[in-house]
Amino acid sequence: MFDAHIYSTRRNKLKSILNNGIALFLGNNYAPMNYPANTYPFRQDSNFLYFFGLNDARLAAIIDFESGKEILFGDDVDIDDIIWMGTQASLKDKSAQCGVKETRTYNDLEKYISENSGRQIHYLPPYRADNSIVLEKLLGIKPSSQKKFASIDLIKAVVSLRAVKEPCEIEALEEAQKIGYEMHSTALKMTKPGIYEREIAGAMEGVCLSHGAVVSFPVILTINGQTLHNHCHENILKEGDLLLVDAGAEAPNNYCSDHTRTYPVGGKFTQKQKEIYEIVLKANKEAIQMIKPGITFQSVHFYACKIIAEGLKAIGLMKGNTDEAVKQGAHAMFLPHGLGHMMGLDVHDMEDLGENYVGYDEETKRSTLFGTAYLRMGRKLKEGFVVTVEPGIYFIPALIQMWEKENKFSEFINYSKVNEYLNFGGIRIEDDILVTKDGYRNLGKPIPKEVDDIENLMSC
Ligand code: GLY
Ligand code: MN
């Protein structure tokens, strides 16, 4: 965790934005897999981590915006816990680590909230069932209504702080990048005919674990890259396949990386694969080059879509006016997702707070068009934002066949030619980008993405 003053400063900033009521932050608990004592690896709530930094279960905290008071609620371990889990820092020590002066037992939280029941209690939308039950007990709000009554003021204030990464966070993100680089280098080396997807996925996860890290989301590693979030790893690689590898690390400091590369099994792209790959690469590189404060990410997204539509037109898969095709959404048959998302403590940063609060604002509204509606981040970029840039081209047989049957966008899509690509799969290329004062910085050591570089490395 960072020094205590980092967390105190963040809480003070929050206090300078909000001035009434109390903010309640519930940390996460262990989540059982198949019986209570057999748990998933512990993952702290990211908002709790951001303001308090403590990576332990069964903690909660309040910030009183009127008195300025901060209290950490939790319990010291007893002798049984020490026997099974070893000694642990006391609650007092934990509170000192994050600069909070007052501590109380976890059960005191209920008493504290009831003593303050006439006041506004700001809370963030819960996403874990056990914390929904705690909230119901504390505030009397049914789980089904808790999202609706979450504090929009607190959500907006938290987003405004977490969106702009501090220098210590950028360093922490760079740590995750190093692990991400090693994961992807491992995947490239292992991409050979005859190996199972699961062997490579397992080796990538092993790289994470060897650094005390975990994957920032379940590894996507597949010869069926046309399925965007494909978590099946049961195929055996064969010459001529394209292997899409979308994976990242969550470093021990809890900051994430997220990269996608697409490799030719056998080491050489076919002409057909290279043509599509070069279009995606151009979209990735030119979109990155556009990044600077003041530009909306939605406009960067549309720019990338136009490169994709123009490239597909050049090889006969699309036709007609490119601007019009993108405006109407015809390109989304090939690119049915958004260009990227914010990244930080969460790989899709702050998604628990609501995508529209994170990625949109009064000025930039979310599109309702198929494909573009999946763009998680659209608003104006600011110095300190970290976003992914991840264009792709996919041939999704069910979607192609559905649209062809409906004669959808037949003025822009050359279906007879597209049908020659039904077994193609998908290509995505993703990098993590920091918005700087006057432009951008690609985070981490570059993971090879040029055709020649990939082919040369794969021939070693
Ligand atoms: N890299 C996976 C995702 O962004 O959804
Ligand atoms: Mn991503």
Side-chain angles (χ1 to χ4, degrees):
M1 81 186 265
F2 303 123
D3 283 348
H5 79 268
I6 296 280
Y7 303 102
S8 305
T9 306
R10 289 171 178 175
R11 295 192 300 270
N12 286 340
K13 283 188 184 162
L14 191 63
K15 288 179 201 167
S16 73
I17 302 173
L18 297 176
N19 45 34
N20 77 307
I22 294 164
L24 167 65
F25 294 93
L26 295 179
N28 281 341
N29 299 310
Y30 280 100
M33 285 195 291
N34 50 341
Y35 55 90
N38 203 24
T39 61
Y40 291 104
F42 177 69
R43 177 52 158 91
Q44 183 58 287
D45 173 72
S46 296
N47 300 300
F48 197 86
L49 276 177
Y50 185 79
F51 289 107
F52 301 94
L54 299 170
N55 212 347
D56 303 288
R58 216 173 131 77
L59 293 172
I62 63 92
I63 301 174
D64 186 327
F65 294 122
E66 287 153 52
S67 69
K69 199 176 202 176
E70 300 165 341
I71 309 173
L72 179 68
F73 295 86
D75 297 308
D76 284 325
V77 292
D78 61 20
I79 189 66
D80 282 340
D81 293 322
I82 292 171
I83 291 166
W84 289 94
M85 293 152 63
T87 49
Q88 308 213 2
S90 68
L91 190 65
K92 269 283 165 225
D93 287 347
K94 286 178 189 171
S95 68
Q97 283 166 21
C98 63
V100 172
K101 292 201 177 67
E102 188 171 340
T103 59
R104 297 200 194 172
T105 65
Y106 195 87
N107 284 341
D108 260 9
L109 181 59
E110 202 177 335
K111 185 163 161 258
Y112 173 85
I113 296 290
S114 72
E115 282 166 5
N116 287 278
S117 61
R119 302 177 60 196
Q120 180 169 10
I121 310 284
H122 301 267
Y123 68 88
L124 297 171
Y127 53 90
R128 290 216 179 170
D130 56 347
N131 273 344
S132 277
I133 294 168
V134 174
L135 266 186
E136 183 176 17
K137 198 166 160 208
L138 294 175
L139 305 178
I141 304 171
K142 282 202 180 74
S144 58
S145 300
Q146 287 172 357
K147 274 207 172 120
K148 191 167 80 196
F149 293 118
S151 166
I152 293 170
D153 289 342
L154 182 59
I155 291 172
K156 287 186 172 170
V158 172
V159 169
S160 73
L161 295 176
R162 281 185 58 190
V164 179
K165 272 48 184 188
E166 299 159 348
C168 63
E169 293 186 284
I170 295 163
E171 267 180 45
L173 284 159
E174 294 279 10
E175 287 303 311
Q177 294 288 320
K178 285 183 202 152
I179 306 169
Y181 181 89
E182 199 179 319
M183 289 166 75
H184 280 273
S185 306
T186 301
L188 181 142
K189 283 192 206 116
M190 290 179 74
T191 300
K192 297 214 159 60
I195 192 164
Y196 278 97
E197 294 165 336
R198 60 175 180 256
E199 294 177 71
I200 311 176
M204 291 181 90
E205 193 152 347
V207 169
C208 274
L209 297 174
S210 75
H211 288 280
V214 290
V215 288
S216 52
F217 59 95
V219 171
I220 298 166
L221 185 143
T222 177
I223 54 171
N224 288 312
Q226 75 282 4
T227 303
L228 303 181
H229 279 179
N230 196 336
H231 296 300
C232 165
H233 300 142
E234 293 307 315
N235 295 299
I236 197 157
L237 273 53
K238 57 180 190 327
E239 180 97 27
D241 285 337
L242 279 175
L243 183 71
L244 187 151
V245 184
D246 182 351
E250 181 182 318
N253 59 36
N254 296 110
Y255 283 81
C256 297
S257 76
D258 182 9
H259 292 94
T260 310
R261 290 294 182 265
T262 309
Y263 300 129
V265 179
K268 283 249 172 270
F269 289 97
T270 64
Q271 182 58 27
K272 201 172 174 181
Q273 289 169 344
K274 198 186 293 189
E275 283 171 3
I276 301 290
Y277 188 92
E278 292 287 10
I279 300 170
V280 180
L281 185 60
K282 183 171 157 67
N284 165 281
K285 291 201 295 193
E286 294 198 13
I288 290 172
Q289 280 161 14
M290 282 179 77
I291 291 196
K292 59 177 182 191
I295 191 166
T296 69
F297 201 63
Q298 197 175 54
S299 66
V300 184
H301 167 87
F302 282 124
Y303 187 76
C305 294
K306 281 182 195 168
I307 293 174
I308 296 232
E310 199 60 37
L312 290 170
K313 201 165 110 179
I315 57 170
L317 294 172
M318 288 189 76
K319 55 189 176 175
N321 182 294
T322 301
D323 286 352
E324 203 47 43
V326 170
K327 194 167 154 208
Q328 292 188 33
H331 67 285
M333 190 180 81
F334 304 97
L335 172 55
H337 65 71
L339 186 65
H341 49 85
M342 283 209 179
M343 198 185 68
L345 279 166
D346 308 300
V347 70
H348 290 180
D349 211 21
M350 300 176 276
E351 206 161 283
D352 59 312
L353 302 180
E355 276 180 15
N356 285 348
Y357 292 118
V358 178
Y360 293 89
D361 55 17
E362 282 309 310
E363 197 181 9
T364 312
K365 294 283 166 214
R366 196 174 187 126
S367 162
T368 52
L369 267 188
F370 172 78
T372 313
Y374 284 118
L375 179 63
R376 303 176 201 277
M377 168 71 195
R379 68 182 164 118
K380 249 185 202 161
L381 297 174
K382 284 190 190 161
E383 182 182 357
F385 282 13
V386 170
V387 290
T388 65
V389 173
E390 49 182 307
I393 294 180
Y394 313 90
F395 294 88
I396 306 167
L399 182 62
I400 294 167
Q401 281 151 5
M402 189 174 101
W403 280 27
E404 184 174 20
K405 211 160 141 200
E406 294 168 2
N407 211 18
K408 194 163 172 170
F409 294 128
S410 52
E411 66 276 40
F412 300 121
I413 297 171
N414 185 352
Y415 283 103
S416 61
K417 181 88 177 159
V418 171
N419 277 314
E420 293 170 20
Y421 287 71
L422 289 181
N423 294 324
F424 186 94
I427 292 175
R428 176 160 70 249
I429 305 172
E430 174 177 24
D431 291 301
D432 303 336
I433 308 297
L434 168 69
V435 183
T436 59
K437 187 161 173 281
D438 43 21
Y440 70 91
R441 181 159 73 78
N442 210 324
L443 287 175
K445 186 170 157 187
I447 299 173
K449 60 183 176 183
E450 299 292 334
V451 165
D452 285 349
D453 291 343
I454 289 175
E455 291 188 347
N456 286 339
L457 282 166
M458 292 187 85
S459 70
C460 296

